[in-house]
Amino acid sequence: MNLLHKLGSAMGTMDRRAFLKKSGIGVGAGAVAGALPFGMVKKASAEAKATNGGKIEVKRTVCTHCSVGCAVDAVVENGVWVRQNPVFDSPINMGSHCAKGAALREHGHGEHRLKYPMKLVNGKYTKITWDEALDAISKKMLALREKSGPDSIFFVGSSKHNNEQSYLMRKWVSLWGTNNCDHQARICHSTTVAGVANTWGYGAMTNSYNDMQNTKCALYIGSNAAEAHPVSMLHMLHAKETGAKMIVVDPRFTRTAARADKHIRIRSGSDIPFLFGVLYHIFKNGWEDTKYINDRVYGMDQVKADVLAKWTPDKVEEACGVSEADVYYVAETMSKNRPSTLVWCMGQTQHTIGNAMVRASCILQLALGNVGVSGGGTNIFRGHDNVQGATDVGPNPDSLPGYYGIAEGSWKHWCSVWGLDYEYVKGRYAEDMMSKSGMTVSRWVDGVLENPELIDQKAGNLKGLFFWGHAPNSQTRGLDMKRAMDKLDLLVVIDPYPSATAAMAAMPGDPADLNPNREVYLLPSTTQFETHGSVTASNRSMQWREQVIEPLFDSRTDHMIMYQFAQKLGFANELVKNYKMVDGKGGMKEPEIESILQEINRGTWTIGMSGQSPERLKMHMKNMHTFNVRSLRAEGGPCDGDYFGLPWPCYGTPELKHPGSPVLYNTSLNVMDGGGNFRANFGVEKDGVSLLAADGSYSKGAEITTGYPEFTSDMLKKLGWWDDLTEDEKKLADGKNWKTDLSGGIQRVAMKHGCHPFGNARARAVVWNFPDPVPQHREPLYSTRPDLVAKYPTHDDKKNFWRLPTLYKSIQEKNADINKSFPLIMTSGRLVEYEGGGEETRSNPWLAELQQEMFVEIHPKVANDRGIANGDKVHVKTPTGAKLLVQAHVTRSVDEHTVFLPFHFSGHWQGKDMLAYYPEGAHPIVRGEAVNTATTYGYDAVTMMQETKTTVCQIEKAV
């Protein structure tokens, strides 16, 4: 028994009070562990005996906070989670944790959790039974369906659900009969997914956190990784040790900027002028990769002409505030230190032109030939632990799992996978609504408040809302949201924590808005530590979580709740038709998680989420030590040749043993070694110009040595490869393509000949199906620069966009002189201590102790002009009429034109503590104003992403 085990065993099993009494021992154990050399830190045995005769187990799981995917070994004694160890064998976190990861064990005790079902009665939450809740909610849902149709209810899923639960929710909502569903990706990286996918095929991170060790230069723009993705910095700092340059472009001097070789301060919302200013110098100096562009890129000449004409150094400095010398420095450093990588996060995505910003980043990397190479790429850091997986297979309003879309053929594909009759599923939908994209989570508020005659659905206004693992304070326009909550007929919160929704719904609002027939319910679901399943990190690698403990209190797993609702709503048999049913909490039945992943494998051919079987993922988790940290490839052992987590695309069936794809579009590798090329997803030519890759441009070992379209059964026949299929494969593959062939035969045969199933094409620098085919800078709707609004106006208003009218130019013109009343740019972002809306992490005592106050960062000049001293209470006022009361943090991290507020807080409402409106005993320890109570209207012109990073405010000293 090693030293840690001896110390742990001496402590025995303790409740929280006993632990606090013996905290000296606990701290000592941690201090000893921290001081030990790596060779002395041993893994606990998977099963051992405690000193009191009980059983000790070690369960391997994954942190439930950000998207890095840090592995954790949870030590469980007699069913109680007593301690945790970071996994030193993990190639991702290598034994490291941030503050949030180090505090995970608290979720296994959850003193501030929602403990049992509750109903809002006369302004107070009252305990009810699960049977009462399920019966009442289902009855109300069916009544709304009868009166207004299935589109009258909106379902917000969760990026905290595992892949299997995310997928099951999209299936569940489909069987209810609506596309009115969404999740957090809409308001964090939807512009990334759309912009990147429309550039080269897949809307995801091209490389990995680990691969950043291979870069020679990294440009972070709109990313504060040191706080948002702390453990990812391990890999960047390793790169710096070998000479890599690091540049951070951000309106703030962040903790990430503190580790950079150079910090460049940019005006929030001006990413395109900056990025195209960099491109200007690249083109002027001939630093672009001309062969790469000729062979693999469409439309770069048009971009070049636009950049050289519009983004001369003087125009760049006028728009973004960056000098010619600094812009030149970035261009030269990235060009002369290739491969260079580009990192972005929500600082670039959350704008009305977020889609164009991310495409500008993509174009920069294409010009330098940095995409499809190790050490290069666009390393897009996602937010939540499974926001990537939820985007891939979860409740998206415009797509079925796997980005298949919602056209008739897509529905027929998934109905075939589900073993359901297409006409039955179609009959669940209102007429003509099955193939119409639903509303988005960013706009459900307007689905309630808008004139019903202007809403493009037969149901008219939304009447019901499910928040199934979602923080309302993550959304903009909090004042309007309160009104919308009050007008609903049904509000259901399903969450381990009551979330800010509970308090917002219970607190008094305008009596004129309150629906007297409204019903509000809180249902306790489990955390991911009380179930098991797969989770997809930002780099597309999948990991398998083991269940650490049994469900706490009266909580139930999300997939059990879905099944129990389906029983009440009449589609349970259809929902679980292909699944093995197993005993869950209290012997109640729930679908087996492994069965759900196997169904995902059988249907998700588009992104190659077909090869990651439960068995393969579990094997990876048990053999983490065999994977190389820089390449992520296993060197020997049972996983030999695989890349860790089988990052999608992992094509073919699990039996084919594709190793996964660590670097997308990498032509230097054979497709069966994880190689690839750009996707043929936009046709074969445009205006007489080929969209396929040039002659001689192909992935290693391909028998077709030029560009080619995506594979179909007809293409196999023309190539003479049809007979490479088995007879059984032929039966399923005939008339199908690589995405819809359920046998996997088309993919198998294409790869047998070294070819990529999705074809070999050029990336698009010009995206003709977007509002601006070449990215254009447009000022935010609320801008402090009327001179730039005149030069770079926003889009025209849209009458019908994701079922709703959406305003652009009319708002911008109305607020052209808004700077006179609101002269400061207001932006928001993360803190290292908290995650997302913060309800979960602010309920954790160890994290709550670290950051106890909501604050605003203001520059000394701004503070001095207003008589504000550091630590004073101030009011932050915005054009919405909101008036936040927060603490002033006077700092030069921001410039004199910008203020910053973190977005993790809730529980205060314009100066008032909302404690009284939470369920008794289930409230966060730290409460504060939510910045999004005050944020303004504004949505991306492609995805309906909310504009949180650039609005306006005024600051006043509170008296």
Side-chain angles (χ1 to χ4, degrees):
M1 182 178 289
N2 67 32
L3 178 58
L4 283 177
H5 284 174
K6 289 177 182 176
L7 287 168
S9 297
M11 292 165 69
T13 301
M14 294 182 294
D15 61 15
R16 175 175 167 77
R17 185 170 296 171
F19 174 79
L20 290 173
K21 286 181 179 179
K22 296 186 178 183
S23 61
I25 296 176
V27 171
V32 170
L36 290 175
F38 287 148
M40 289 183 65
V41 181
K42 307 290 186 183
K43 286 193 297 183
S45 57
E47 191 169 306
K49 215 170 189 181
T51 54
N52 58 10
K55 186 172 68 172
I56 295 177
E57 299 176 282
V58 178
K59 301 292 187 179
R60 182 154 290 181
T61 185
V62 178
C63 179
T64 54
H65 294 302
C66 83
S67 67
V68 173
C70 299
V72 184
D73 278 341
V75 182
V76 181
E77 186 173 334
N78 298 328
V80 178
W81 188 356
V82 295
R83 59 187 179 273
Q84 67 178 77
N85 297 314
V87 179
F88 286 87
D89 286 340
S90 167
I92 292 177
N93 60 302
M94 301 183 291
S96 298
H97 273 331
C98 70
K100 295 186 291 293
L104 286 177
R105 190 191 68 89
E106 183 63 24
H107 300 312
H109 299 261
E111 299 161 34
H112 297 268
R113 291 262 296 266
L114 179 64
K115 298 175 179 64
Y116 33 72
M118 305 191 85
K119 181 180 180 179
L120 186 63
V121 180
N122 296 324
K124 293 288 185 180
Y125 286 103
T126 305
K127 180 181 178 180
I128 60 175
T129 68
W130 269 102
D131 285 342
E132 288 173 328
L134 292 168
D135 285 343
I137 295 168
S138 300
K139 181 179 178 180
K140 190 76 169 183
M141 291 176 69
L142 292 171
L144 290 174
R145 182 187 180 96
E146 177 67 25
K147 181 180 179 180
S148 302
D151 288 319
S152 61
I153 303 179
F154 192 91
F155 302 91
V156 185
S158 183
S159 295
K160 295 297 186 189
H161 286 156
N162 60 33
N163 285 318
E164 294 73 26
Q165 292 167 337
S166 296
Y167 167 86
L168 189 66
M169 185 165 184
R170 186 49 168 107
K171 185 178 182 181
W172 187 93
V173 171
S174 300
L175 293 173
W176 166 256
T178 187
N179 294 327
N180 276 337
C181 59
D182 210 350
H183 62 103
Q184 285 87 352
R186 179 69 45 195
I187 55 177
C188 61
H189 271 287
S190 63
T191 44
T192 289
V193 175
V196 177
N198 275 277
T199 300
W200 48 53
Y202 284 147
M205 187 180 199
T206 60
N207 294 44
S208 68
Y209 298 111
N210 296 66
D211 186 64
M212 292 187 71
Q213 293 196 31
N214 300 314
T215 194
K216 293 182 179 178
C217 176
L219 173 65
Y220 287 72
I221 179 167
S223 165
N224 182 14
E227 296 207 64
H229 307 86
V231 176
S232 75
M233 290 293 287
L234 277 175
H235 303 290
M236 185 63 233
L237 295 179
H238 278 305
K240 286 197 72 179
E241 288 172 356
T242 58
K245 303 293 184 182
M246 180 178 175
I247 304 168
V248 171
V249 179
D250 199 290
R252 298 169 66 221
F253 185 82
T254 62
R255 292 183 180 180
T256 311
R259 303 310 299 263
D261 294 284
K262 190 171 184 64
H263 169 239
I264 294 176
R265 196 183 296 278
I266 189 176
R267 185 175 69 98
S268 183
S270 63
D271 299 48
I272 291 173
F274 174 79
L275 290 164
F276 277 4
V278 173
L279 265 178
Y280 176 92
H281 291 294
I282 289 171
F283 289 138
K284 278 289 188 179
N285 289 278
W287 290 331
E288 71 269 33
D289 189 331
T290 54
K291 178 169 176 51
Y292 182 98
I293 293 169
N294 177 73
D295 292 351
R296 303 189 64 187
V297 182
Y298 166 85
M300 190 62 80
D301 286 347
Q302 188 175 336
V303 171
K304 182 176 181 179
D306 196 78
V307 165
L308 294 178
K310 295 179 180 177
W311 294 113
T312 54
D314 58 318
K315 298 296 184 185
V316 171
E317 185 165 5
E318 177 190 44
C320 71
V322 182
S323 69
E324 179 178 2
D326 280 348
V327 178
Y328 181 89
Y329 169 86
V330 175
E332 183 178 40
T333 305
M334 289 194 74
S335 299
K336 293 185 177 180
N337 294 276
R338 287 183 251 193
S340 44
T341 188
L342 196 153
V343 177
W344 75 77
C345 295
M346 295 190 294
Q348 191 162 102
T349 63
Q350 291 181 330
H351 300 272
T352 50
I353 56 168
N355 73 87
M357 289 182 181
V358 302
R359 286 195 297 117
S361 290
C362 293
I363 290 167
L364 173 58
Q365 286 296 76
L366 288 173
L368 292 172
N370 273 329
V371 183
V373 297
S374 176
T378 54
N379 281 307
I380 305 148
F381 292 3
R382 302 298 298 263
H384 293 292
D385 62 313
N386 199 42
V387 67
Q388 183 62 57
T391 307
D392 295 336
V393 295
N396 299 302
D398 57 342
S399 184
L400 289 163
Y403 310 97
Y404 276 81
I406 49 175
E408 182 177 321
S410 304
W411 279 107
K412 288 182 175 177
H413 167 76
W414 278 107
C415 286
S416 179
V417 174
W418 297 337
L420 301 178
D421 179 64
Y422 166 75
E423 293 299 328
Y424 162 77
V425 178
K426 183 178 180 180
R428 300 292 297 166
Y429 277 74
E431 186 178 359
D432 297 327
M433 300 303 289
M434 189 179 192
S435 294
K436 180 176 287 189
S437 295
M439 293 184 197
T440 63
V441 63
S442 52
R443 297 294 305 280
W444 74 262
V445 169
D446 295 306
V448 177
L449 300 178
E450 184 59 79
N451 178 348
E453 295 181 2
L454 301 180
I455 300 177
D456 188 23
Q457 62 176 32
K458 293 177 174 62
N461 291 113
L462 296 176
K463 309 293 196 306
L465 175 69
F466 276 64
F467 268 2
W468 208 318
H470 176 75
N473 51 306
S474 292
Q475 291 180 233
T476 56
R477 298 168 56 207
L479 299 184
D480 289 336
M481 185 183 298
K482 170 58 182 167
R483 292 184 56 223
M485 281 187 182
D486 287 351
K487 287 180 177 290
L488 290 167
D489 286 79
L490 176 66
L491 175 60
V492 180
V493 177
I494 306 174
D495 204 289
Y497 294 82
S499 83
T501 317
M504 286 182 68
M507 73 179 186
D510 185 340
D513 289 326
L514 185 60
N515 181 345
N517 298 314
R518 184 184 66 160
E519 297 179 25
V520 180
Y521 298 90
L522 311 178
L523 304 182
S525 61
T526 63
T527 68
Q528 288 300 312
F529 302 117
E530 296 148 74
T531 185
H532 64 281
S534 67
V535 58
T536 307
S538 198
N539 71 306
R540 299 165 284 106
S541 283
M542 294 171 65
Q543 297 184 80
W544 189 266
R545 287 189 178 115
E546 293 182 312
Q547 183 171 334
V548 177
I549 53 175
E550 292 299 313
L552 293 178
F553 312 115
D554 201 12
S555 65
R556 298 181 181 181
T557 62
D558 292 285
H559 49 291
M560 176 184 281
I561 298 169
M562 290 179 210
Y563 174 61
Q564 292 174 342
F565 267 122
Q567 288 178 302
K568 299 287 185 180
L569 297 170
F571 53 82
N573 291 339
E574 290 78 10
L575 182 71
V576 301
K577 180 177 181 179
N578 295 334
Y579 309 146
K580 177 182 177 181
M581 300 299 291
V582 295
D583 289 338
K585 182 173 183 174
M588 294 180 287
K589 294 296 182 184
E590 65 183 16
E592 181 194 53
I593 287 290
E594 287 84 350
S595 296
I596 301 174
L597 180 53
Q598 287 162 355
E599 185 173 86
I600 294 172
N601 295 155
R602 287 196 297 273
T604 316
W605 304 96
T606 40
I607 58 171
M609 215 164 163
S610 52
Q612 303 96 333
S613 65
E615 295 77 15
R616 293 186 78 187
L617 294 181
K618 291 175 184 179
M619 185 181 294
H620 279 217
M621 298 301 285
K622 291 178 181 177
N623 293 277
M624 285 181 161
H625 62 284
T626 66
F627 292 89
N628 182 290
V629 170
R630 291 178 75 101
S631 69
L632 288 179
R633 199 158 203 186
E635 300 171 331
C639 307
D640 188 35
D642 284 356
Y643 296 97
F644 180 68
L646 303 169
W648 65 255
C650 179
Y651 286 124
T653 62
E655 294 73 25
L656 189 63
K657 294 195 178 301
H658 188 282
S661 307
V663 176
L664 295 177
Y665 323 118
N666 184 358
T667 58
S668 70
L669 294 177
N670 186 282
V671 65
M672 281 302 293
D673 282 323
N677 38 245
F678 293 129
R679 182 177 176 182
N681 199 35
F682 313 107
V684 296
E685 70 170 24
K686 173 68 174 173
D687 299 329
V689 177
S690 175
L691 298 177
L692 301 179
D695 290 348
S697 178
Y698 55 92
S699 53
K700 183 178 179 179
E703 294 181 23
I704 303 177
T705 60
T706 187
Y708 49 89
E710 62 180 7
F711 274 81
T712 64
S713 59
D714 287 344
M715 185 169 167
L716 288 187
K717 292 173 184 178
K718 291 176 181 177
L719 290 168
W721 297 350
W722 180 250
D723 287 336
D724 289 353
L725 297 171
T726 67
E727 291 306 313
D728 287 341
E729 286 174 336
K730 287 179 180 178
K731 293 174 185 176
L732 290 172
D734 202 16
K736 303 291 186 180
N737 60 40
W738 68 284
K739 304 186 292 278
T740 57
D741 166 25
L742 297 186
S743 76
I746 293 177
Q747 289 195 4
R748 181 184 65 79
V749 170
M751 292 189 295
K752 175 185 175 182
H753 293 274
C755 296
H756 208 289
F758 67 28
N760 179 18
R762 301 174 193 265
R764 296 195 300 172
V766 174
V767 177
W768 55 82
N769 51 310
F770 272 27
D772 292 321
V774 174
Q776 301 295 312
H777 173 63
R778 296 177 182 274
E779 281 291 296
L781 301 193
Y782 293 84
S783 174
T784 60
R785 293 286 302 274
D787 57 322
L788 295 180
V789 169
K791 293 181 179 180
Y792 308 107
T794 188
H795 298 284
D796 292 331
D797 293 354
K798 297 188 178 190
K799 183 178 180 181
N800 178 9
F801 186 46
W802 297 86
R803 302 193 183 186
L804 290 163
T806 306
L807 307 179
Y808 294 92
K809 190 167 288 186
S810 61
I811 286 184
Q812 191 180 67
E813 291 176 347
K814 181 180 177 182
N815 292 281
D817 295 323
I818 198 72
N819 63 303
K820 294 177 181 177
S821 303
F822 300 94
L824 299 170
I825 298 171
M826 185 174 82
T827 191
S828 62
R830 286 199 189 191
L831 303 176
V832 70
E833 297 87 358
Y834 297 138
E835 166 72 15
E839 207 79 359
E840 181 181 47
T841 42
R842 285 183 288 107
S843 296
N844 187 314
W846 316 115
L847 298 173
E849 185 178 359
L850 298 176
Q851 181 62 58
Q852 301 178 24
E853 284 280 347
M854 173 58 173
F855 61 89
V856 57
E857 289 184 353
I858 56 177
H859 188 271
K861 183 179 186 304
V862 175
N864 295 336
D865 286 346
R866 290 160 174 79
I868 295 168
N870 190 55
D872 283 351
K873 290 292 184 178
V874 298
H875 286 127
V876 180
K877 301 165 70 174
T878 69
T880 66
K883 186 178 181 181
L884 310 184
L885 181 65
V886 299
Q887 188 176 82
H889 176 41
V890 180
T891 172
R892 296 186 188 276
S893 292
V894 292
D895 66 16
E896 60 191 77
H897 307 293
T898 305
V899 302
F900 167 86
L901 297 91
F903 58 59
H904 306 297
F905 289 83
S906 65
H908 284 183
W909 188 265
Q910 301 190 91
K912 296 180 181 179
D913 193 336
M914 300 164 70
L915 177 62
Y917 306 113
Y918 282 91
E920 186 176 355
H923 57 80
I925 299 166
V926 170
R927 297 176 301 282
E929 296 275 12
V931 62
N932 282 318
T933 302
T935 44
T936 51
Y937 186 104
Y939 301 96
D940 177 74
V942 173
T943 72
M944 208 69 92
M945 164 69 78
Q946 61 190 20
E947 185 158 56
T948 64
K949 289 295 183 278
T950 311
T951 185
V952 295
C953 74
Q954 177 61 288
I955 305 258
E956 298 174 352
K957 185 175 180 177
V959 292

